[in-house]
Amino acid sequence: MFKGLFLTGSMLGMLGDFVQEKNIKIPELDEAILQYGQQARIPLHLWADLLERISIAVNDTALGLAIGKRIAPRHVGVLGYLVLSCQNLGEALNRFARYQRLVYDVNPFSVHIDERGMELRWGVEYGKPGALIDETSIAALTSFLHILTSQPLHPTYVSFVNPKPQNIQIYLDYFQCPVDFDKEFTCVRLPLEYLSTPLLHRDQTLLDLLSQQAEALLGVLPKADVFEEKLKNVIVQTLHEGEPTLPVVASYLALSSRTLQRRLQERGLVFQDILENTRRELAIRYLQDKTLSLTDIALLLGYSEQSAFNRAFKRWYNEPPKSYRTKNITR
């Protein structure tokens, strides 16, 4: 799990600051800080393990929020100081979008702008890292807004892909905006007027210098896995032709079933999970097309009957596709 996904080693400093403040000892964290340098890339599975060890030692139902709010520029490495040097928040967020992989190289990231504002989104193409990881990263991002501007800027909307916790009020109080769970992607939405907010430490000379360094660091990161992209494309193609199976997909890739299975195992991937995630993503996309009936969508997703699609969609999003389309697409 989490194979090939990374964070910057400087983020370990945020965990170190937190446990020091709480006066607790996590030997594994001390070892990781000694082993990994500031510019190192730490595997996501190690980050997940360290967060879990902290959660065992600290009784906090919203631990991710408590850790994330302690973010500091030094915890984000080059990117932290780069965005500090920008002229305004809009420029800082655009730089963050370009160089995010230097800090948080997990699920693919995208930016969407409309009349509601700028929305930063993280999908689930490589799986769900879990509530603790997601909440720590989103809390850190929103806390960094205050560091950049020294103003009480809050998002207008936040969503998570994880199940709804028992006490949602903690999240409403922390983000001071509506917060949803069990969504198809994690997102933070900011009003457009925030983008012109000037930053406290803007410095064009330093920005140019750090941008060159960030470009160099970005250039040496490993490229996205072409095999995985090709696999997803073939799954989409075979969905239209009926229920895709591993042998069918393998034949399209000109591989034996055994070779495809081995390549998946090497990457820590499970064929059924990729198929399921692909269907989830396509279902939302197809529901946005009002010319497609639910029966049409079921066939496009490789289901032999609409009832099977209805059951799957309800499992994914906790409501039938007809209800989801009515509430989210046609309004």
Side-chain angles (χ1 to χ4, degrees):
M1 190 177 183
F2 304 147
K3 186 178 178 66
L5 308 180
F6 296 89
L7 284 82
T8 179
S10 57
M11 291 288 281
L12 291 172
M14 183 171 66
L15 301 189
D17 290 351
F18 178 80
V19 300
Q20 184 176 16
E21 181 180 321
K22 293 294 183 180
N23 197 27
I24 58 177
K25 193 72 173 174
I26 309 292
E28 293 82 2
L29 175 58
D30 294 336
E31 293 173 8
I33 291 174
L34 287 174
Q35 179 180 352
Y36 294 93
Q38 293 284 305
Q39 298 298 332
R41 281 161 59 83
I42 61 172
L44 185 61
H45 66 79
L46 172 61
W47 181 255
D49 179 65
L50 293 173
L51 286 174
E52 183 60 32
R53 291 180 185 277
I54 295 173
S55 72
I56 294 172
V58 178
N59 183 22
D60 190 334
T61 55
L63 179 62
L65 305 184
I67 294 175
K69 73 179 182 181
R70 287 164 173 79
I71 191 74
R74 67 180 183 279
H75 299 147
V76 197
V78 171
L79 181 56
Y81 296 106
L82 188 155
V83 296
L84 275 177
S85 305
C86 291
Q87 294 297 309
N88 54 51
L89 187 59
E91 183 182 13
L93 289 172
N94 282 324
R95 298 290 179 129
F96 170 79
R98 174 162 181 76
Y99 301 117
Q100 188 223 205
R101 287 189 67 208
L102 297 179
V103 178
Y104 192 73
D105 194 5
V106 185
N107 273 307
F109 166 74
S110 59
V111 177
H112 303 263
I113 298 179
D114 58 24
E115 67 281 357
R116 296 179 300 175
M118 172 184 277
E119 196 166 278
L120 313 177
R121 295 180 185 175
W122 293 262
V124 293
E125 289 86 340
Y126 303 145
K128 297 181 181 181
L132 190 50
I133 292 177
D134 289 343
E135 291 168 14
T136 299
S137 61
I138 297 304
L141 173 64
T142 56
S143 294
F144 213 85
L145 297 179
H146 305 298
I147 295 174
L148 291 172
T149 64
S150 193
Q151 295 187 34
L153 303 183
H154 300 284
T156 56
Y157 177 73
V158 171
S159 72
F160 292 99
V161 298
N162 307 299
K164 183 178 179 180
Q166 288 186 342
N167 184 2
I168 192 175
Q169 191 60 46
I170 297 175
Y171 300 87
L172 299 176
D173 292 342
Y174 184 88
F175 293 109
Q176 297 188 32
C177 70
V179 181
D180 282 335
F181 295 85
D182 278 316
K183 292 299 181 178
E184 61 266 30
F185 48 77
T186 296
C187 88
V188 174
R189 186 185 303 149
L190 301 168
L192 292 178
E193 56 265 29
Y194 279 10
L195 304 185
S196 59
T197 305
L199 303 194
L200 294 175
H201 305 286
R202 50 191 182 275
D203 184 328
Q204 187 62 49
T205 301
L206 184 58
L207 175 63
D208 292 342
L209 180 63
L210 292 173
S211 295
Q212 293 178 22
Q213 186 177 358
E215 283 292 339
L217 291 171
L218 192 65
V220 299
L221 288 185
K223 305 300 182 185
D225 195 327
V226 176
F227 168 77
E228 292 181 36
E229 291 299 319
K230 189 173 182 180
L231 175 64
K232 288 186 67 174
N233 289 337
V234 168
I235 287 177
V236 172
Q237 180 181 351
T238 56
L239 277 172
H240 300 166
E241 301 169 8
E243 179 75 26
T245 62
L246 189 144
V248 169
V249 171
S251 67
Y252 272 79
L253 292 168
L255 301 172
S256 67
S257 297
R258 180 176 295 180
T259 299
L260 175 56
Q261 187 64 51
R262 176 173 52 78
R263 291 193 180 180
L264 290 169
Q265 289 175 349
E266 288 172 351
R267 292 166 171 81
L269 302 174
V270 177
F271 177 80
Q272 201 60 36
D273 290 347
I274 298 174
L275 172 59
E276 184 93 343
N277 288 334
T278 302
R279 278 175 158 159
R280 279 172 53 103
E281 296 167 25
L282 289 175
I284 297 300
R285 190 185 308 172
Y286 291 150
L287 283 171
Q288 292 173 343
D289 186 345
K290 299 176 185 178
T291 66
L292 293 175
S293 69
L294 295 182
T295 301
D296 293 334
I297 294 173
L299 292 174
L300 287 171
L301 293 176
Y303 294 106
S304 57
E305 52 188 29
Q306 185 185 324
S307 59
F309 167 54
N310 290 344
R311 289 193 298 272
F313 194 93
K314 191 170 184 179
R315 185 176 70 251
W316 299 330
Y317 299 108
N318 295 322
E319 63 180 322
K322 183 177 180 180
S323 170
Y324 182 94
R325 172 180 262 180
T326 301
K327 287 165 41 180
N328 297 279
I329 308 299
T330 60
R331 64 183 178 188

